[in-house]
Amino acid sequence: MSDSTEGSPGIPTPEGPSEVITTDYEIGQDNITTQVGPFGLDIHNPVFLISGLSIMAFVFYALALPEQAESFFGWLRPALTSTFDWFFLGAANIFVLFCLFLIVSPWGGIRLGGAHATPDYGYVGWFAMLFAAGMGIGLMFFGVLEPVYHMAISEPLGVPSPFAEDGTIIAENVEAARQMGLAATIYHWGLHPWAIYAIVALALALFTYNKGLPLTIRSAFYPIFGERVWGWTGHIIDTLAVFATLFGLATSLGFGAQQANAGLEHIFGIPNNVTVQVILITVITAIALISVVRGLDGGVKVLSEINMVIAALLLLFVFIAAGPGNILGDFINGMVGYVVDLVPLSNPIGREDTGYMQGWTAFYWAWWISWSPFVGMFIARVSRGRTVREFIICVLLIPSAVCVLWMATFGGAAIDQVLTDPVNSAVKAQVIDAYNPPISLFAMLEGLPLSAITSTIGIVLVIVFFVTSSDSGSLVIDTITAGGKIDAPVPQRVFWCTFEGAVAIVLLIGGGLTSLQAMVISTGLPFTAVLLLMCWAILKGLMSEPR
């Protein structure tokens, strides 16, 4: 350790007292720099080569042997969730407790970037980027599906369904099932996922802006491994981060393509099949490439703010059209249920509701963990100048509140349609009877006024969320595979953006939803262990900071 305030080249120097780490490593020292015609490359050896070649090999395997790939993915998902459900749930609980501890700890006053650092973005722009990058496509896909499914089918914690086998409503089960449907959904979109994101983002911001290390995942582990993070220990960590990020993104892009296709069929009669979804991914990836070329401020920031406005308008419309009194009641009811059942839902041992715990919770935690390098690095890049306490409160609590409001509004409106008129409810027909997840949002909007207009807006939202996710993910993966350089040549970002779309395509061809979920769980599993170790590294890093 040293009192020097000179950081690594290309990293902002801490403003004010900070315990900068002294290392002989320089950003990009292991990189291969070359010029291919008009295009330059600046890639980390061996992280870029290993991850890039592995991803290309995976794409070719899935395309060459689609039936074998589909069979493998179909086996992999349940095998992992049934074996490691306790590990995912236990780890996620640790992440939440660790974040809450940091909020009240003496280290909460440490400022990211040094004592005199000021935020690079205002609150509105900052929240917009947090929201659009962190949860966009997932909220659109699961906002209606999940509350209805948990109310009627999955029976979390053994709370019985309000529907009998013949489809009639069992009156005495309605209130408890309605509350549990919302509470069980809020559990997946509240504190736990945002705690996962907060830990990765805090680690990257702390070790980059305060310690002067490169903006890459391996830097967070310097207090534990020392100079070994620049060798194969760090190579493995960064490569795992690339795999987790890319498959986490591909899963979201696959969901987005399926939902956009379902909406286009619902409104315009366009066929709903894999071919159309492949075309959608190809076209939207091309749009994302334009945003990639424009960069963070010109691309992602503008799109994120536009999408936040559109999402807020759609949320407001559903809130009013479905009845503000009903929605507020569902919001309060769901929150009460969430608080009451938070501990039982978080319990990884001795559960009988394995369909919910393994089929939903274990998948969600793996998905959020896979997304964490992407969202965490993106949040870190836009969060310089915040204190640790401000950072965690904003990242943990404010997006959680928005997600709860979204689920209470969309899910509450859908549940009300199902219970009020089960015979004619499009939601009941599509989600409960037929289980057609991609159409669930549009089925709910069908029960409200101006459904053609709002459904079209829904499709636009999905597409723009797709673009912001692909764009942001490309920037993050490129930073990791460029050895921490944040200004690597554009062709590298183009490569990663293209292959994110390619992986989503081959996973859809090789089994659809099942294959998407299988790969995100398999990459999320090893990275869960990385995040647990990261908590200890954060603590060691904060303890060395001047307070």
Side-chain angles (χ1 to χ4, degrees), residues 129 160 189 203 236 542:
M129 287 188 279
W189 295 84
I236 292 170
L542 289 173

Side-chain angles (χ1 to χ4, degrees), residues 111-418:
R111 189 170 296 276
L112 301 174
H116 307 305
T118 56
D120 296 327
Y121 299 93
Y123 278 111
V124 174
W126 190 40
F127 290 156
M129 287 188 279
L130 292 181
F131 183 75
M135 291 292 188
I137 290 176
L139 286 176
M140 299 297 293
F141 193 90
F142 291 102
V144 169
L145 168 68
E146 194 175 353
V148 173
Y149 190 87
H150 294 331
M151 175 200 69
I153 299 175
S154 64
E155 300 187 352
L157 300 180
V159 175
S161 170
F163 291 101
E165 291 185 5
D166 60 0
T168 57
I169 293 179
I170 305 172
E172 59 266 27
N173 292 353
V174 168
E175 287 307 313
R178 182 174 190 143
Q179 183 180 53
M180 180 52 72
L182 290 166
T185 302
I186 292 170
Y187 171 62
H188 290 152
W189 295 84
L191 295 177
H192 285 76
W194 288 99
I196 292 167
Y197 294 162
I199 284 171
V200 178
L202 176 60
L204 290 169
L206 176 66
F207 288 97
T208 298
Y209 301 135
N210 293 63
K211 306 299 186 183
L213 296 179
L215 183 64
T216 187
I217 302 295
R218 71 175 71 198
S219 295
F221 296 91
Y222 192 93
I224 298 174
F225 298 114
E227 292 293 317
R228 283 178 292 169
V229 297
W230 314 127
W232 274 102
T233 301
H235 300 339
I236 292 170
I237 291 171
D238 277 353
T239 303
L240 285 175
V242 171
F243 288 151
T245 303
L246 195 136
F247 283 107
L249 278 167
T251 298
S252 299
L253 302 186
F255 285 155
Q258 289 185 326
Q259 188 171 28
N261 193 181
L264 291 171
E265 180 190 40
H266 185 70
I267 302 170
F268 304 109
I270 294 174
N272 189 352
N273 53 49
V274 173
T275 301
V276 174
Q277 290 161 22
V278 169
I279 294 171
L280 278 171
I281 292 175
T282 304
V283 171
I284 299 172
T285 298
I287 297 172
L289 288 172
I290 298 173
S291 183
V292 162
V293 172
R294 295 196 62 185
L296 183 63
D297 292 322
V300 179
K301 184 172 182 288
V302 173
L303 286 173
S304 297
E305 291 180 345
I306 292 172
N307 231 29
M308 189 179 75
V309 172
I310 298 174
L313 291 174
L314 182 60
L315 178 68
L316 180 63
F317 171 81
V318 176
F319 182 83
I320 295 172
N326 292 336
I327 299 302
L328 286 174
D330 283 327
F331 179 84
I332 295 170
N333 198 33
M335 281 300 299
V336 170
Y338 173 59
V339 172
V340 170
D341 291 320
L342 178 59
V343 174
L345 288 170
S346 303
N347 172 34
I349 301 171
R351 297 271 291 273
E352 295 183 1
D353 55 339
T354 54
Y356 172 80
M357 184 177 73
Q358 296 175 1
W360 290 83
T361 305
F363 160 68
Y364 266 126
W365 292 174
W367 190 18
W368 301 145
I369 288 166
S370 291
W371 262 57
S372 64
F374 152 47
V375 181
M377 187 173 290
F378 188 69
I379 293 173
R381 288 186 64 173
V382 299
S383 299
R384 187 171 179 271
R386 310 288 177 184
T387 66
V388 170
R389 184 173 295 112
E390 175 190 19
F391 173 86
I392 294 179
I393 289 174
C394 290
V395 173
L396 195 64
L397 300 183
I398 292 176
S400 293
V402 173
C403 289
V404 171
L405 179 60
W406 185 280
M407 291 299 181
T409 303
F410 285 76
I415 288 174
D416 194 58
Q417 291 176 13
V418 169

